[in-house]
């Protein structure tokens, strides 16, 4: 049976034999069945074509010049004759050197090797040798080098740089996203420190519920992330189940892996959203990874579902506070503010405690937000965050009658102007951390009274009618990339005397609050390097005999 | 005592010159093999036989010359015959280096041809000396 199989095989194809006859070799013959211009060795050219040539682009065709004696084909144009004609001569070229090659017993010495034709027998061996990204003529000598190179490579995956795809066991951490169309593509790698949020549509069918990989939780937490010498497993942080009408419930236990299954013509436990949270150190090593899932049910009629994915990176031991710039403030981002924790004793020599910051809106610097009713007392605490670089003004109208009491009104107006919790400190840079207390600028509060006559201060009470926040900022850093830095914040409350009104009369007082950003940066000065000084010191005992 | 001297003077001179020439031949051929391995493509499995032949020839040369000297000076035919036998081996190795080396340079041809002619002349003189000793 073996013999018949061999004979039944088609004859092995061989590569065409290399042409070594110099008379038939023509390097400039590029066009098939057409005459190449100025190519004197082209067999497709006729005598009429030769008469139009100006020179021969290939004058000599020889073999290896190291041989002692070899044939050479010499092509030249005889321009004297009319019409010009091509002259072809076959001569023997002699190499006069004593080290010329007289003979070789090695066929491939002076020619390129014909490649091996793959056959079923040698295919595996050829694949091993040439299947990789690189191969060398002598594969054995490379083994030692690659072993030595491996340990440094292991260190390279530990540190990630911005934008580098996060590597996992099999390939990369995938964040499905729409590419070109809205359909999900699973080959989008997540870049380190690149916070992304994507939404895409995936085609599903309830019958193939448990076989579609992208609907199962396992697909997203299966492979572990490669980081330094160990691997970081992706843990399940929380599972939220979304019902068909859109109501979401947070499951109490997120340990159980819920896989999609078919139940009553519904596909339950299908992944509708994944939110990755990756924690890293400040040197770029990933130490923790968690995924929060939103699982839902797919009904029979649904042909596609929308999945949303998000990934966010937080540094360990740091609160996830959204930055307003890195490092300088970016125009349009909110000014960050905070408080000193109360009850902390601070003697003069002791450094300040870390500021209490939270990511909710109440610790930002906020300004009164004008409402449609324009009534200060009905404002109900609507506030707008102060955005860096945006001067704002807002206000409301206060209706005063004879019956209004001054003191509670003053308190209410102060609250309306300043808000529930007016911060004490403002971050000088957009990325100031709460623990660097010196990076924070205290808010200076001024009270100005419109009437500075002493006797009226005591008798009548003052109500605040305007709050002006002036933020002084400067350009900091290099001339080509200046960063905005807040230097000084002053909150000025202007109060006016409330005059008692006769009964039945009412007055409307405008209450305003404004934020002004002033650039106090000094003009840039070029600085020159100091002249080098020669610093010579004589040795201690230089003048020995005399001193 | 009028016994004629049977030792052949030309053979002695030739053996002496051969020894010196062989040292030069060995060093020159080795240097040229090193040159060829750097300039041309010389895979290891073709370099090994060429070097082996060269070193084998050097190893054979020492007893060959020693036996030749001894046999000629002591007018004994046995060492001289043994030397003749070793010469045949050396001739074959030299022919290999002349014809079947991986790269045969023009200098190789000259040196090997000279060595072969020396061997040939030497063999002739040895045969004549042996016949003189035996008879």
């Amino acid at each position: 049976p073996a013999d018949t199989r061999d004979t039944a095989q088609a004859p092995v194809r061989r590569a065409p034999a290399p042409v070594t006859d110099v008379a038939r070799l023509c390097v400039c013959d590029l066009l098939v069945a057409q005459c190449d211009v100025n190519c004197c060795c082209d067999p497709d050219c006729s005598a009429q074509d030769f008469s139009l040539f100006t020179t021969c682009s290939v004058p000599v065709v020889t073999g290896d010049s190291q041989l002692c004696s070899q044939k050479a084909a010499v092509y030249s144009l005889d321009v004297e004759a009319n019409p010009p004609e091509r002259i072809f001569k076959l001569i023997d070229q002699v190499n006069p050197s004593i080290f010329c090659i007289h003979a070789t017993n090695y066929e491939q010495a002076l020619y390129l090797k014909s490649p091996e034709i793959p056959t079923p027998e040698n295919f595996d061996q050829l694949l091993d040798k040439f299947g990789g990204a690189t191969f060398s003529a002598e594969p054995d000598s490379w083994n030692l080098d690659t072993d030595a190179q491996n340990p440094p490579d292991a260190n390279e995956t530990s540190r990630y740089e911005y934008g580098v795809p996060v590597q996992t066991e099999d390939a990369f951490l995938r964040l499905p996203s729409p590419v070109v169309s809205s359909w999900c593509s699973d080959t989008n790698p997540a870049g380190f420190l690149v916070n992304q949020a994507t939404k895409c549509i995936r085609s599903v069918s309830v019958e193939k519920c448990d076989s579609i990989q992208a609907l199962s939780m396992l697909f997203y937490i299966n492979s572990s992330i490669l980081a330094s010498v160990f691997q970081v497993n992706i843990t399940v942080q929380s599972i939220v189940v979304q019902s068909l009408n859109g109501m979401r419930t947070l499951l109490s236990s997120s340990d159980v892996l819920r896989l999609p299954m078919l139940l009553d013509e519904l596909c339950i436990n299908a992944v509708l959203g994944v939110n990755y949270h990756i924690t890293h150190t400040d040197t770029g090593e990933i130490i923790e990874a968690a995924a929060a899932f939103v699982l839902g049910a797919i009904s029979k009629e649904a042909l596609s579902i929308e999945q949303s994915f998000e990934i966010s990176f937080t540094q360990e031991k740091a609160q996830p506070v959204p930055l307003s710039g890195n490092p300088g403030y970016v125009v349009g981002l909110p000014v960050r503010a905070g408080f000193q924790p109360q009850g902390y004793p601070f003697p003069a020599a002791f450094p300040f405690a870390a500021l209490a910051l939270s990511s909710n809106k109440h610790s930002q610097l906020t300004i009164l937000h004008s409402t449609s009713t324009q009534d200060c007392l009905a404002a109900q605490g609507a506030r707008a965050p102060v955005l860096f670089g945006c001067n704002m003004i807002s206000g409301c109208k206060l209706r005063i009658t004879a019956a209004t009491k001054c003191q509670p009104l003053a308190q209410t107006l102060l609250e309306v102007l300043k808000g529930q919790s007016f911060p004490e400190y403002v971050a000088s840079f957009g990325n100031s951390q709460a623990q660097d207390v010196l990076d924070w600028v205290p808010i200076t509060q001024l009270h100005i009274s419109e009437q500075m006559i002493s006797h009226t201060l005591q008798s009548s009470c003052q109500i605040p009618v305007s709050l002006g926040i002036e933020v002084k900022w400067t350009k900091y850093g290099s001339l080509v990339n200046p960063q905005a830095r807040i230097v000084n914040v002053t909150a000025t409350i202007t109060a006016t005397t409330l005059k008692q009104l006769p009964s039945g009369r009412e007055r409307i007082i405008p209450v305003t609050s404004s934020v002004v950003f002033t650039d106090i940066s000094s003009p840039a000065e070029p600085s020159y390097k100091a002249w080098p000084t020669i610093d010579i010191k004589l040795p201690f005992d230089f003048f020995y005999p005399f001193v | 005592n009028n016994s004629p001297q049977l030792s052949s003077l030309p053979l002695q001179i030739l053996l002496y010159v051969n020894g010196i020439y062989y040292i030069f031949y060995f060093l020159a051929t080795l240097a040229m093999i090193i040159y060829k391995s750097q300039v041309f493509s010389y895979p290891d499995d073709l370099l090994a036989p060429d070097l082996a032949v060269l070193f084998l020839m050097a190893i054979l040369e020492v007893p060959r010359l020693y036996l030749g000297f001894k046999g000629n000076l002591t007018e004994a035919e046995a060492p001289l015959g043994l030397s003749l036998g070793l010469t045949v081996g050396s001739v074959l190795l030299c022919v290999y280096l002349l014809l079947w080396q991986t790269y045969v340079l023009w200098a190789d041809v000259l040196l090997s041809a000279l060595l072969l002619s020396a061997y040939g002349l030497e063999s002739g003189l040895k045969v004549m000396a042996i016949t003189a000793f035996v008879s």
Side-chain angles (χ1 to χ4, degrees):
Chain A
D3 292 338
T4 53
R5 224 184 303 143
D6 284 341
T7 51
Q9 267 176 1
V12 177
R13 287 177 298 127
R14 298 206 183 283
V19 176
T20 53
D21 183 8
V22 286
R24 293 193 299 136
L25 264 177
C26 196
V27 185
C28 53
D29 179 15
L30 300 169
L31 299 169
V32 175
Q34 272 186 53
C35 181
D36 293 85
V37 179
N38 275 349
C39 187
C40 296
C41 54
D42 195 346
D44 307 315
C45 296
S46 62
Q48 290 155 332
D49 298 318
F50 287 132
S51 62
L52 298 170
F53 290 170
T54 50
T55 61
C56 282
S57 57
V58 172
V60 173
V61 181
T62 65
D64 195 329
S65 58
Q66 301 254 27
L67 291 172
C68 286
S69 136
Q70 53 177 320
K71 285 214 166 315
V74 179
Y75 300 95
S76 60
L77 272 182
D78 183 11
V79 288
E80 310 283 316
N82 188 12
E85 51 186 36
R86 176 200 76 166
I87 304 174
F88 167 63
K89 278 193 291 213
L90 205 60
I91 60 171
D92 278 324
Q93 211 177 44
V94 172
N95 184 355
S97 161
I98 197 167
F99 297 117
C100 64
I101 301 177
H102 185 254
T104 72
N105 291 309
Y106 173 42
E107 270 174 31
Q108 299 133 331
L110 307 166
Y111 305 108
L112 293 173
K113 232 161 95 157
S114 301
E116 270 181 68
I117 299 283
T119 61
E121 290 83 40
N122 65 6
F123 187 79
D124 290 321
Q125 179 233 345
L126 283 179
L127 188 66
D128 280 335
K129 210 165 152 202
F130 301 114
T134 59
F135 56 85
S136 79
E138 289 136 11
D140 294 327
S141 66
W142 283 90
N143 280 346
L144 297 168
D145 289 346
T146 51
D147 285 341
Q149 273 170 16
N150 269 339
D153 281 345
N155 247 342
E156 297 293 316
T157 57
S158 64
R159 279 162 208 285
Y160 285 97
E161 290 179 5
Y162 177 83
V164 168
V166 175
Q167 290 183 331
T168 60
E169 265 178 328
D170 40 0
F172 298 112
L173 185 65
R174 284 181 229 93
L175 203 72
S177 69
V179 180
V180 184
S181 64
S182 327
W183 296 101
C184 287
S185 153
D186 288 329
T187 52
N188 178 39
F192 186 65
L193 289 187
V194 178
N195 295 335
Q196 281 180 310
T198 59
K199 278 199 216 279
C200 57
I201 304 178
R202 201 176 287 276
S203 71
V204 293
S205 74
V206 176
E207 293 85 42
K208 289 191 277 177
C209 178
D210 41 4
S211 63
I212 301 180
Q213 269 201 333
L215 290 179
S216 140
M217 272 173 72
L218 266 183
F219 181 65
Y220 300 101
I221 57 172
N222 206 354
S223 51
S224 44
I225 296 178
L226 296 177
S228 64
V229 292
F230 49 82
Q231 295 177 345
V232 177
N233 285 328
I234 305 180
T235 56
V236 178
Q237 196 179 32
S238 65
I239 301 181
V240 166
V241 176
Q242 182 173 313
S243 66
L244 274 176
N245 56 7
M247 263 206 7
R248 291 190 174 186
T249 353
L250 177 67
L251 288 186
S252 50
S253 71
S254 51
D255 299 335
V256 180
L257 208 62
R258 298 166 82 93
L259 295 174
M261 52 189 194
L262 198 57
L263 189 72
D264 290 342
E265 296 187 351
L266 280 183
C267 178
I268 62 168
N269 293 337
V271 172
L272 294 183
V274 186
N275 204 330
Y276 288 105
H277 294 108
I278 315 268
T279 313
H280 65 97
T281 64
D282 50 0
T283 52
E285 293 174 9
I286 295 182
I287 48 175
E288 226 184 287
F293 286 93
V294 174
L295 301 178
I298 309 176
S299 61
K300 200 155 174 246
E301 303 85 33
L303 292 173
S304 62
I305 54 164
E306 189 188 50
Q307 291 183 315
S308 63
F309 300 95
E310 204 183 310
I311 187 166
S312 63
F313 291 87
T314 42
Q315 196 167 322
E316 59 164 352
K317 300 182 216 137
Q319 301 278 355
V321 176
L323 297 179
S324 299
N326 195 13
Y329 271 103
V330 174
V331 168
L333 291 182
V335 171
R336 294 173 56 224
F339 302 89
Q340 196 135 44
Q342 300 188 350
Y344 191 84
F346 35 96
F350 217 69
F352 288 113
L355 290 160
L357 270 187
S358 63
S359 56
N360 64 15
K361 296 186 274 238
H362 296 285
S363 73
Q364 280 179 351
L365 195 59
T366 54
I367 192 179
L368 170 73
H369 189 84
S370 308
T371 55
S372 54
T373 57
Q374 291 187 10
D375 189 354
C376 291
L377 300 175
Q380 288 182 356
R383 307 205 55 90
V386 172
L387 304 178
F388 183 80
C390 301
N391 298 339
M392 304 188 204
I393 185 165
S394 64
C396 55
K397 294 205 198 83
L398 181 66
R399 183 185 294 248
I400 303 183
T401 60
T404 41
K405 299 271 191 321
C406 176
Q407 203 48 32
L409 184 65
Q411 277 299 99
T412 316
L413 274 179
L414 206 60
E415 204 181 292
V416 165
L417 281 173
K418 282 169 102 173
Q420 291 277 4
S421 50
F422 194 70
E424 300 166 10
Y425 288 85
V426 167
S428 68
F429 283 111
N431 65 348
S432 297
Q433 299 292 329
Q435 50 266 37
D436 308 320
V437 188
L438 297 173
D439 257 352
W440 293 76
V441 173
I443 299 182
T444 316
Q445 307 222 10
L446 294 180
H447 285 264
I448 295 181
S449 175
E450 278 188 350
Q451 288 168 307
M452 298 302 268
I453 309 169
S454 54
H455 66 271
T456 50
L457 269 173
Q458 285 174 359
S459 55
S460 56
C461 78
Q462 311 269 328
I463 51 167
V465 286
S466 97
L467 169 68
I469 302 179
E470 188 180 1
V471 180
K472 294 200 178 90
W473 62 280
T474 174
K475 290 202 194 79
Y476 187 79
S478 76
L479 191 60
V480 288
N481 189 15
Q483 305 296 314
R485 179 186 185 175
I486 292 183
V487 180
N488 194 344
V489 181
T490 313
T492 311
I493 302 225
T494 313
T496 183
T497 329
L498 182 64
K499 287 199 283 277
Q500 268 294 35
L501 288 173
S503 66
R505 297 277 292 276
E506 60 178 33
R507 231 175 93 193
I508 296 183
I509 303 179
V511 173
T512 55
S513 64
S514 61
V515 179
V516 171
F517 285 87
T518 321
D519 182 359
I520 59 162
S521 36
S522 48
E525 284 172 7
S527 62
Y528 300 100
K529 270 172 84 158
W531 277 101
T533 54
I534 303 175
D535 191 13
I536 306 178
K537 275 201 170 75
L538 294 174
F540 179 65
D541 53 355
F542 191 70
F543 296 112
Y544 169 61
F546 307 104
V547 171
Chain B
N1 197 337
N2 278 0
S3 60
Q5 180 194 331
L6 292 177
S7 305
S8 159
L9 180 61
L11 179 59
Q12 196 67 18
I13 296 173
L14 193 57
L15 283 173
Y16 188 73
V17 167
N18 196 355
I20 295 175
Y21 176 71
Y22 186 75
I23 294 170
F24 166 71
Y25 174 86
F26 176 77
L27 291 174
T29 307
L30 189 63
M32 279 198 289
I33 288 182
I34 293 171
Y35 163 77
K36 282 181 251 178
S37 72
Q38 298 302 310
V39 172
F40 306 124
S41 144
Y42 215 145
D44 287 343
D45 52 350
L46 292 174
L47 183 60
D50 291 350
L51 280 175
V53 162
L54 185 63
F55 280 96
L56 190 61
M57 213 164 115
I59 292 170
L60 271 185
E61 195 71 8
V62 175
R64 192 186 76 90
L65 284 174
Y66 172 72
L67 288 170
F69 275 121
K70 184 164 158 220
N72 193 24
L73 289 174
T74 56
E75 297 177 6
E77 60 273 3
L80 215 51
L82 209 56
S83 176
L84 195 60
L86 288 177
T87 306
V88 172
S90 284
V91 161
L92 287 174
L93 293 176
C94 187
V95 164
Y96 174 89
L97 287 178
L98 175 62
L99 293 178
W100 299 310
Q101 231 187 120
T102 310
Y103 293 95
V104 182
L105 304 184
W106 185 233
D108 275 325
V109 171
L110 285 175
L111 289 172
S112 299
L114 207 55
L115 193 64
L116 273 179
S117 56
Y119 283 164
L121 198 57
E122 221 178 79
S123 307
L125 287 174
K126 276 185 199 158
V127 165
M128 278 168 44
I130 288 174
T131 50
F133 296 158
V134 167
S135 61

